[in-house]
Amino acid sequence: MRCRRMQQNTLSGDGSMSNRLEMIRAFAAGYSPDQDHDEQVMKNALMLFDQLTPLHALSGEERFLLQAAAILHDIGWSQPGGAHNKTGAGMIRRDSTLPLKSAEREIIALLVRYHRKAPPSLQQRRFAELDQGDRERVQKLASLLRIADALDRSHQSLVDTITATIREDEVIIHCSSGSEGYLECDYALERSDLFTTLFSREVVIDWRIAP
């Protein structure tokens, strides 16, 4: 894997999801330790999703699932004990107020579960119980969420814009920022393991400091 210092895209939104997303944000506000980080991870995740559509071939429905998971990914920190990813997934499953269908709830819970540590595996019961289509959705979305979270490793919202270059054997993620992002760059490479496995492409982080 390589990290190069070497700019940009805008987000497209889905207005039909705005009310549900606001309810999800309100829920997360009661538990998340750093909502600015959640919003940055969401921004990173959506830019990655939009830039990498030719690879993942997912739709607006999956984009909403990724957005919701990014907002909720750290709610498990509110509870005592470790493994906040597993704790957060359990909180989502037990909640009755989030405006989610049962299938959406389970996929989002799994994305929160897999945003760090071990990637999805058929050794894990809840993942194995999904049908093939939902397993693929979870894997693809988790691969994006892991990188999006890593690109805000310092919780300083350093990434302004993300563009991507898709090549036969690699994907170059170009990040434009106002300052250096050594932690973000290194951690994003580490968290790109699932992406590389799924799409058979090495990930390169091209971090550019905007003038």
Side-chain angles (χ1 to χ4, degrees):
M1 290 184 178
R2 310 196 301 275
C3 180
R4 294 203 294 253
R5 316 215 110 29
M6 280 177 54
Q7 217 157 34
Q8 315 226 135
N9 196 40
T10 57
L11 300 180
S12 59
D14 184 350
S16 66
M17 302 294 186
S18 60
N19 290 339
R20 291 211 286 164
L21 288 170
E22 286 312 306
M23 292 176 69
I24 291 167
R25 278 194 178 91
F27 175 85
Y31 300 104
S32 177
D34 189 346
Q35 288 183 274
D36 289 340
H37 169 66
D38 301 338
E39 292 295 319
Q40 182 65 38
V41 172
M42 182 191 72
K43 173 184 168 183
N44 292 347
L46 295 184
M47 288 190 287
L48 288 169
F49 184 98
D50 294 342
Q51 286 286 304
L52 297 171
T53 298
L55 273 184
H56 60 65
L58 298 174
S59 68
E61 179 182 355
E62 287 87 15
R63 193 178 190 275
F64 166 76
L65 298 174
L66 179 61
Q67 193 168 5
I71 294 169
L72 295 166
H73 79 284
D74 272 351
I75 61 173
W77 283 117
S78 64
Q79 307 302 308
H84 75 277
N85 55 324
K86 296 180 182 179
T87 300
M91 292 168 66
I92 292 166
R93 291 190 180 102
R94 291 190 298 272
D95 174 76
S96 61
T97 64
L98 287 166
L100 300 170
K101 301 172 186 176
S102 59
E104 292 175 331
R105 183 182 299 273
E106 183 57 27
I107 289 174
I108 291 168
L110 286 171
L111 293 177
V112 170
R113 160 72 174 82
Y114 295 127
H115 84 269
R116 65 188 292 270
K117 298 292 185 179
S121 166
L122 290 175
Q123 305 279 331
Q124 295 145 355
R125 177 179 61 84
R126 291 187 182 273
F127 179 72
E129 287 174 347
L130 298 177
D131 64 33
Q132 184 60 33
D134 282 344
R135 284 181 204 157
E136 291 179 4
R137 290 182 187 94
V138 168
Q139 289 178 307
K140 290 178 178 180
L141 294 175
S143 76
L144 299 178
L145 183 57
R146 290 162 76 92
I147 296 173
D149 184 34
L151 286 172
D152 195 41
R153 176 62 166 169
S154 65
H155 288 225
Q156 294 182 34
S157 300
L158 297 182
V159 175
D160 295 323
T161 60
I162 293 172
T163 56
T165 302
I166 301 171
R167 294 179 175 165
E168 185 175 346
D169 60 349
E170 69 179 8
V171 168
I172 305 173
I173 298 174
H174 309 277
C175 299
S176 178
S177 176
S179 60
E180 292 285 3
Y182 296 110
L183 284 175
E184 281 72 13
C185 189
D186 291 345
Y187 204 44
L189 291 178
E190 181 181 328
R191 289 283 192 87
S192 68
D193 53 349
L194 178 56
F195 184 95
T196 295
T197 298
L198 288 176
F199 299 108
S200 301
R201 285 169 171 82
E202 177 187 355
V203 171
V204 175
I205 306 297
D206 172 19
W207 192 276
R208 294 186 178 188
I209 300 177

